[in-house]
Amino acid sequence: SGASPETRKAIDLGVAYEWDDASLSTQGGFSSEPDYLSGFLRVAGRLDLERKRTSVELSARHAHSAIEARPD
């Protein structure tokens, strides 16, 4: 008995922008196999205070996946 070969396709992308006292970034990704799909999205921001001695960061992420079981 051996493992059946599967092909996985995936892509992850991200974009970020920085100002003098702040930054904003977003990332996303998608992955697929014959019996599995998944994806994610992330957004993050940062604000520098007190001449960059203090930073406040906030991020949110959502991920989703779906499995479709197939009998051998």
Side-chain angles (χ1 to χ4, degrees), residues 41-61:
L41 179 64
R42 179 181 181 268
V43 177
R46 185 193 78 239
L47 181 61
D48 294 324
L49 306 170
E50 299 180 45
R51 297 186 201 145
K52 297 190 177 190
R53 289 181 290 197
T54 302
S55 293
V56 177
E57 295 186 33
L58 178 66
S59 67
R61 179 181 169 112

Side-chain angles (χ1 to χ4, degrees), residues 8-72:
R8 178 177 180 251
K9 297 176 184 174
I11 187 168
D12 290 351
L13 300 171
V15 176
Y17 189 82
E18 292 204 18
W19 293 272
D20 289 338
D21 294 329
S23 70
L24 183 63
S25 66
T26 184
Q27 296 173 308
F30 177 78
S31 174
S32 71
E33 296 179 23
D35 58 351
Y36 179 75
L37 295 173
S38 70
F40 77 93
L41 179 64
R42 179 181 181 268
V43 177
R46 185 193 78 239
L47 181 61
D48 294 324
L49 306 170
E50 299 180 45
R51 297 186 201 145
K52 297 190 177 190
R53 289 181 290 197
T54 302
S55 293
V56 177
E57 295 186 33
L58 178 66
S59 67
R61 179 181 169 112
H62 175 75
H64 179 75
S65 61
I67 299 171
E68 181 182 324
R70 295 182 182 178
D72 291 332

